[in-house]
Amino acid sequence: MARIFSGIQPSGELHIGNYLGAVQNWVRLQTEHDCLFSIVDLHAITQPYDPGALASLTLDMAVSLFAAGLDPGKCIVFVQSHVAEHTELNWLLTTLAPLGELERQTQFKDKAQRQESVTMGLLAYPVLQAADVLLYKASLVPVGEDQVQHLELMREIARRWNARYGHDFFPEPQPLLTRTKRVLGLDGKAKMSKSLGNTIGLFESPEAIWEKLRPAATDPARKTRKDPGTPEICNIFTLHQGFSAPDTVEEVAQKCRTAGWGCLDCKRVLADNMIKTLAPIRERAAALKRDPAGVLDRLRDCANRARSLAQRTIADVRGKMGLLKDV
Ligand code: SF4
């Protein structure tokens, strides 16, 4: 089984954009591959953040991932900072990471522009990503298109390390592009994001889901019920593809093109399917929230399993890089 590593920021409870864009795919992957999924709190602190909120946001994300269906019996779900080997390998890899390439990363340039002072942590973000993946010798990384450049840099770092210290020690990780399209927010303009207030949370009540879907943006060409629309440019159609059965998706497309129904009818069907899909997730989340100690137990157990894999890699890396054995 190929090993997969992927990470998610500790942004609190998941919304349907995270779910359709990444986590739904992870739930499927855990049955097909040897998977490690990390809540990447060390990445989160490379940007301004609230230290008083980070731990509870991390725990909320863990609850979300377990509730969404990640099962510690099938995969490893852990908090990045609980496995100290990530930071050790990060440092060892910085000795080979090409500075020019790091400075050319699009995400670095975007984020740096928005900050008053640019930190080493922000610049070295892709090196820590490389350490995350190479620590477990993962060969596949599920990524969105915006992460492909970082993955290329990761491959370059692996190549450089292998050439210098040990042929074929690290596999060059390959991208596993996610099947689901990028999910826009309910405004139909920007990417779904909590900071923009255009999301539906994974644990929202049926009433709240409908209240948010009802006014959501659709194809602007459908000014009246009689105007035909183009489903491919409507975010509600994208959401149907995530929550409705294939025959319903076909029906939606056909009724949209022929003005066979109005946008409210279309949204009502979507709301029903979304509520049905999310109901068991909401129930599991409620049970997990009643038992925070149980959630921490799962995280501890997973971190122990991740650490034992990481320690093997680090011992080999130290030896190959010529560091004196610990005494
Ligand atoms: Fe969008 Fe549905 Fe309206 Fe078509 S009918 S524009 S898919 S909401």
Side-chain angles (χ1 to χ4, degrees), residues 186 197-201 204 207-217:
L186 298 175
N198 60 5
T199 65
I200 293 179
E204 301 226 31
E207 298 75 26
I209 289 175
W210 178 239
E211 281 312 303
K212 287 188 169 180
L213 269 185
R214 205 159 41 101

Side-chain angles (χ1 to χ4, degrees), residues 3 36 83 85-86 88-90 92-93 130-138 161-162 165 168-171 305-321 323:
R3 180 166 290 162
L36 293 108
V83 180
E85 285 75 10
H86 285 254
E88 181 170 355
L89 186 58
N90 173 57
L92 297 174
L93 296 180
D132 295 339
V133 173
L134 299 180
L135 193 53
Y136 303 101
K137 297 188 174 181
W161 196 96
N162 286 344
Y165 300 111
D168 293 338
F169 180 76
F170 287 125
R305 288 158 59 202
R307 197 177 300 114
S308 78
L309 295 171
Q311 282 173 344
R312 263 180 263 159
T313 305
I314 283 290
D316 288 345
V317 167
R318 282 168 163 242
K320 286 177 186 292
M321 290 182 76
L323 300 176

